[in-house]
């Protein structure tokens, strides 16, 4: 008799859970689908920057590129083919890894490929160049971002990023509700630092750290963004540079190269964004901050060898989500079918997940 009633009980529990989680994004998902695709693009209005009503002296070449230099800094800008100087476009900034540069970052991310859109319009993709630091042995001259043991001393890349975004806003027609930051390795660590810093956590709508080098300077213990922050994180289980399990020192026993266990890093973001680490999922039906779910409440397998844990613990209007993609067999690479950054995956992180995620998260969303 008990056995007979079990299916009914299961049905009852399932519907009780559904009622406790009243948002569309909490509904049962197809396991084959990428769960990031189940929330619709944000309907936040565009917020036109000054560049929509001003002229600019920036010159773009026949491939729609410009290298903008400002003092001792530079960044590579790519305009979409259909760029309209009177229509606000989303801005995606992508920070290169240690030893790399903006041009290389453009190549591995594919962010300047034809046809990419956010909010239905072509994206402006920007690839800044880091300053030259001392390298890992302290005696070289190698590009790097703030937050690593090998960062150039005294360089304020947060201030540089703010100034760069201001210049872009003044010269191009951008949508300031749709500024996004992404980066690989050292650039992924810096992307995390931008998310941890109130001034930039409120400048960019969402963040994509990939194979992030989360040294202490890039992942401060007092990370206080000032708002729940949407983050999409990718990390390979075969990463030997920044191991998924974390490390207390590098191969040369240098403790300044310590990096966190990536699962714990993600859980820390989920908690910071409002997830409870202790209460079971079903008990978290409501609170003053809206519904919450546990940080590993939704697990899916959107691609071969890939596990996605979605932790959506936000109040109903801020859409703060932590999406953690863990890729079996992937090393220290930006996931790409073409192996543009070394490792080959059966999906392109940029188009399959990062841009759709960005599209769901904009500033200025109304309830
Ligand atoms: C920008 O700089 C890179 C690296 O120096 C170079 O390869 C590229 O051709 C430059 N692009 C433009 C538009 O000047
Ligand atoms: C820098 O130092 C390392 C180790 O101390 C040494 O192996 C390397 O040759 C040096 N590089 C340069 C460019 O001097
Ligand atoms: C990483 O953290 C997770 C979550 O706390 C834990 O389950 C896992 O065992 C940790 N991995 C290692 C290698 O310590
Ligand atoms: C690192 O520390 C371990 C354990 O103390 C030691 O065996 C090893 O030789 C050290 N490696 C280097 C490069 O110093
Ligand atoms: C991934 O990107 C590369 C380079 O842009 C492209 O050649 C390839 O077709 C893309 N793969 C998929 C599955 O979209
Ligand atoms: C538009 O952007 C400005 C400056 O970034 C900000 O102060 C303002 O609140 C935004 N307005 C809307 C409607 O999002």
């Amino acid at each position: 008799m008990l056995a007979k009633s079990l299916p009914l009980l299961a049905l009852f529990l399932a519907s009780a859970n559904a009622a406790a989680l009243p948002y569309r994004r909490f509904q049962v998902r197809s396991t084959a689908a990428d769960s990031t695709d189940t929330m619709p693009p944000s309907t936040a209005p565009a917020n036109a920057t000054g560049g929509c009503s001003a002229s600019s002296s920036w010159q773009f070449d026949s491939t729609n590129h410009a290298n903008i230099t400002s003092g001792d800094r530079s960044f590579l800008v790519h305009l979409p083919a259909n760029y309209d100087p009177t229509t606000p476009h989303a801005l995606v900034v992508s920070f290169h890894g240690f030893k790399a540069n903006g041009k290389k970052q453009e190549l591995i991310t594919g962010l300047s490929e034809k046809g990419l859109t956010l909010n239905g319009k072509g994206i402006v993709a920007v690839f800044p160049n880091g300053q030259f630091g001392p390298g890992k042995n302290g005696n070289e001259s190698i590009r790097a971002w703030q937050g690593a043991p090998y960062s150039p001393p005294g360089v304020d890349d947060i201030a540089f990023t703010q100034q760069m975004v201001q210049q872009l806003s003044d010269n191009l027609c951008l949508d300031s509700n749709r500024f996004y930051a992404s980066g690989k390795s050292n650039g992924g660590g810096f992307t995390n630092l931008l998310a941890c810093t109130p001034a930039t956590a409120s400048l960019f709508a969402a963040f994509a750290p990939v194979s992030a080098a989360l040294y202490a300077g890039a992942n401060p213990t007092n990370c206080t963004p000032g708002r729940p922050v949407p983050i999409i994180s990718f990390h390979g289980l075969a990463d030997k540079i920044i191991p998924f399990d974390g490390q207390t020192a590098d191969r040369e026993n240098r403790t300044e190269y310590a990096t966190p266990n990536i699962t714990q890093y993600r859980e820390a973001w989920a908690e910071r964004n409002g997830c409870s680490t202790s209460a079971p999922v079903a008990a978290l039906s409501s609170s003053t901050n809206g519904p919450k779910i546990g940080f590993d409440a939704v697990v899916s397998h959107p691609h071969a060898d890939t596990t996605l844990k979605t932790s959506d613990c936000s109040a109903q209007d801020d859409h703060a989500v932590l999406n953690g993609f863990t890729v079996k067999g992937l090393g220290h690479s930006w996931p790409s079918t073409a192996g543009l950054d070394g490792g080959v995956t059966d999906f392109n992180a940029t188009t399959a997940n990062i841009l759709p995620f960005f599209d769901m998260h904009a500033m200025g969303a109304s309830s």
Side-chain angles (χ1 to χ4, degrees), residues 6-291:
L6 272 178
L8 261 182
L9 180 65
L11 196 65
F12 169 75
L13 285 177
S15 55
N17 274 344
L21 303 169
Y23 295 104
R24 186 176 24 210
R25 59 188 185 273
F26 294 140
Q27 285 175 4
V28 174
R29 305 160 203 264
S30 148
T31 49
D34 173 351
S35 82
T36 59
D37 290 336
T38 61
M39 254 173 71
S42 170
T43 55
N47 195 352
T49 62
C52 298
S53 48
S55 60
S56 169
S57 59
W58 287 3
Q59 299 289 318
F60 288 82
D61 68 12
S62 61
T63 67
N64 280 352
H65 287 91
N67 277 338
I68 306 299
T69 55
S70 175
D72 57 358
R73 304 306 305 250
S74 68
F75 47 95
L76 176 64
V77 183
H78 179 261
L79 299 184
N82 56 357
Y83 177 74
D84 172 356
T86 63
T87 298
H89 297 262
L91 167 70
V92 180
V93 179
S94 202
F95 297 89
H96 63 74
F98 179 57
K99 288 188 186 170
N101 55 42
K103 191 97 188 139
K104 169 104 191 286
Q105 186 67 6
E106 178 181 48
L107 177 75
I108 69 166
T109 60
L111 279 164
S112 299
E113 296 274 319
K114 279 200 186 69
L116 305 186
T117 60
L118 287 171
N119 199 26
K121 292 160 203 79
I123 66 175
V124 171
V126 172
F127 310 94
N129 296 306
Q131 291 286 62
F132 291 92
K136 291 192 178 181
N137 294 317
N139 57 0
E140 292 164 291
S141 182
I142 302 179
R143 283 194 201 280
W145 298 102
Q146 186 180 339
Y150 46 73
S151 302
V155 171
D156 185 347
D157 282 319
I158 300 277
F160 160 63
T161 300
Q162 292 173 291
Q163 286 153 15
M164 175 184 73
V165 169
Q166 186 62 54
Q167 278 185 284
L168 289 159
S169 300
D170 292 344
N171 285 277
L172 299 174
C173 187
L174 302 178
D175 175 359
S176 66
N177 283 339
R178 291 179 175 79
F179 292 164
Y180 303 96
S182 62
K184 156 82 195 295
S185 189
N186 172 221
F190 182 61
T191 299
N192 186 70
L193 184 60
L194 290 169
C196 279
T197 305
T200 41
S202 57
L203 180 63
F204 297 101
F207 298 81
V210 176
S211 312
L214 297 161
Y215 305 119
N219 191 34
T221 48
N222 65 341
C223 172
T224 47
R227 71 170 183 114
V229 179
I231 296 194
I232 181 168
S233 146
F234 287 81
H235 217 99
L237 285 176
D239 192 327
K240 291 193 170 64
I241 312 276
I242 309 294
F244 191 91
D245 286 342
Q247 62 187 8
T248 53
D250 70 353
R251 267 169 269 169
E252 290 166 52
N253 294 341
R254 296 179 292 192
T255 53
E256 66 268 32
Y257 284 85
T259 55
N261 172 323
I262 296 301
T263 302
Q264 285 170 9
Y265 156 74
R266 291 169 176 170
E267 289 175 353
W269 265 114
E271 202 175 349
R272 216 174 272 136
N273 282 350
C275 280
S276 167
T277 54
S278 52
V281 173
L284 293 168
S285 57
S286 66
S287 79
T288 52
N289 198 27

Side-chain angles (χ1 to χ4, degrees), residues 22-42 232 293 298-302 308 310-312 319 321 323 325 352-353 355-361:
Y23 295 104
R24 186 176 24 210
R25 59 188 185 273
F26 294 140
Q27 285 175 4
V28 174
R29 305 160 203 264
S30 148
T31 49
D34 173 351
S35 82
T36 59
D37 290 336
T38 61
M39 254 173 71
S42 170
I232 181 168
I293 60 175
V298 181
V299 177
S300 62
H301 300 280
L308 165 60
T310 296
S311 308
D312 187 337
H319 301 293
V321 172
N323 267 4
F325 288 77
N353 305 110
L355 292 178
F357 182 82
F358 285 170
D359 226 358
M360 293 165 202
H361 302 282

